[in-house]
Amino acid sequence: MRELTLNEIGCVTGGTGVCTPEDPGGAGEPNDYLGGAAANEVGAVLIGIYEGLVSATSHVIERVANAL
């Protein structure tokens, strides 16, 4: 396999020749993941998701138990 030329790399990656992002941002800046949560809030988002799943599961179990 051959190595890509700089021109080819630019075509497939949109490469600018710079290894840093155009808008570096800090650790507390929101991102596009987990609904725009900042990096230091990801744990809280995951805990919220877990608690929501537990609540939904509990609700379904209660409904099934009452139906029997």
Side-chain angles (χ1 to χ4, degrees):
M1 177 166 36
R2 70 176 179 84
E3 293 184 15
L4 296 175
T5 65
L6 288 178
N7 190 28
E8 292 169 332
I9 291 173
C11 288
V12 297
T13 63
T16 61
V18 179
C19 292
T20 57
E22 292 178 16
D23 183 17
E29 299 244 351
N31 57 39
D32 293 334
Y33 305 106
L34 297 172
N40 57 359
E41 298 173 348
V42 171
V45 170
L46 293 175
I47 290 170
I49 292 169
Y50 172 78
E51 288 178 351
L53 289 172
V54 168
S55 177
T57 303
S58 175
H59 176 75
V60 169
I61 291 171
E62 183 180 352
R63 295 282 298 228
V64 169
N66 288 338
L68 298 176

